[in-house]
Amino acid sequence: MRLTILGSGTNIHPTRAASGYLVRTDNTILLDFGPRTLENLLKTGVNRHRITHILFSHYHADHFSDFITYFFDAMIFTKYQGGTRPPLTVIGPRGTKKFFQTLFATLPGFTHAPFAVHFKEVSDRAFVIGKTTVIPRTVTHTQNLHCLGYRIEYGGKALAYSGDSQYCDSLVRLCGDVDLAVLDCSFPASRPSPVHLHAGQCGQVAREAGVGRLVLSHLYPITERYNVREQAGEAFGGKIVVARDLMAIKL
Ligand SMILES: [Zn+2]
Ligand SMILES: [Zn+2]
């Protein structure tokens, strides 16, 4: 399994794209699709038309907005440029179907894509994509919003992605004994937010879950001024990496 970080920042950030991750197993899967991550996806050299599954943690714009550009391009490619592509399955939390129904009904042409598109709402039940097991788990982010973290297992390795999350038991369970956890490290420990983890809590989650390697991601611009690696390291003795866009990690 290979992870490539497409975006490790947030909506507006001087050097990082917003949230997006490319996971390569027996399938090519995207986790979130925030602004500027499509540009980074192109830089990886992956054929964007072979992506079959996009998994969303939630629909805050910093996790979603490049999907619109991606999908519009896929329609042009298949409609006017003689291209073909496999069906696209879009997976996300409660509300996913209604969200895309509304969006597709509003954006010109989106309901007439010449390839199959499937929308699937998931909660806390595992499913498979080919030989890859995906375990979504509800995490706590903002009030009244269903947010998911994802655990992906393939070839005897496990990866966890928090999505956006506060510290919560379900996040610790999601990350239980994974080889690698990518956690929402929006803020430094000294500038906490009520809806995101801070660096110290990332370390706490990693320690409690018995994570192999911890990747700190989803950094807000202000967070660049602090040593989040050191802050996370106060709670967690394992390997800690601060994410960079286009960083590739083999599991
Ligand atoms: Zn969010
Ligand atoms: Zn976010």
Side-chain angles (χ1 to χ4, degrees), residues 29-244:
I29 298 167
L30 280 186
L31 295 174
D32 285 337
F33 215 160
R36 306 179 300 287
T37 58
L38 178 54
E39 284 296 316
N40 284 340
L41 175 67
L42 302 184
K43 286 179 191 163
T44 65
V46 160
N47 181 345
R48 66 187 183 279
H49 304 300
R50 306 320 296 170
I51 289 169
T52 53
H53 292 77
I54 304 176
L55 278 55
F56 286 105
S57 60
H58 64 307
Y59 298 107
H60 280 152
D62 59 314
H63 295 254
F64 166 73
S65 70
D66 268 7
F67 174 84
I68 295 172
T69 311
Y70 174 81
F71 195 86
F72 194 66
D73 167 76
M75 288 198 304
I76 302 289
F77 175 68
T78 48
K79 235 177 186 170
Y80 304 115
Q81 297 173 346
T84 56
R85 60 153 299 139
L88 178 65
T89 303
V90 176
I91 296 170
R94 257 194 323 273
T96 289
K97 286 182 183 170
K98 190 175 171 214
F99 177 78
F100 281 98
Q101 266 167 16
T102 307
L103 192 81
F104 275 46
T106 308
L107 289 165
F110 270 51
T111 48
H112 293 94
F115 55 89
V117 189
H118 306 292
F119 299 104
K120 192 170 153 183
E121 290 185 14
V122 295
S123 196
D124 293 69
R125 192 171 292 176
F127 59 92
V128 292
I129 302 171
K131 290 181 177 139
T132 305
T133 300
V134 181
I135 304 158
R137 193 175 272 280
T138 300
V139 294
T140 307
H141 177 31
T142 58
Q143 225 181 359
N144 301 324
L145 188 65
H146 186 212
C147 295
L148 293 171
Y150 288 100
R151 180 183 177 115
I152 297 182
E153 298 178 350
Y154 177 75
K157 300 285 181 183
L159 158 80
Y161 167 52
S162 65
D164 282 2
S165 182
Q166 305 174 28
Y167 175 85
C168 56
D169 288 344
S170 64
L171 178 61
V172 176
R173 280 206 297 278
L174 178 84
C175 297
D177 296 318
V178 291
D179 298 279
L180 187 114
V182 180
L183 298 186
D184 168 1
C185 182
S186 288
F187 296 104
S190 50
R191 305 286 293 262
S193 145
V195 298
H196 292 280
L197 295 167
H198 63 64
Q201 291 171 319
C202 289
Q204 185 188 347
V205 169
R207 185 191 68 227
E208 291 175 359
V211 162
R213 257 185 296 177
L214 168 62
V215 177
L216 303 172
S217 194
H218 200 286
L219 276 71
Y220 273 65
I222 190 174
T223 308
E224 307 290 347
R225 296 193 219 152
Y226 297 83
N227 189 339
V228 287
R229 196 167 170 274
E230 197 176 280
Q231 291 181 358
E234 283 175 21
F236 178 60
K239 189 171 182 199
I240 303 172
V241 179
V242 180
R244 274 183 290 104

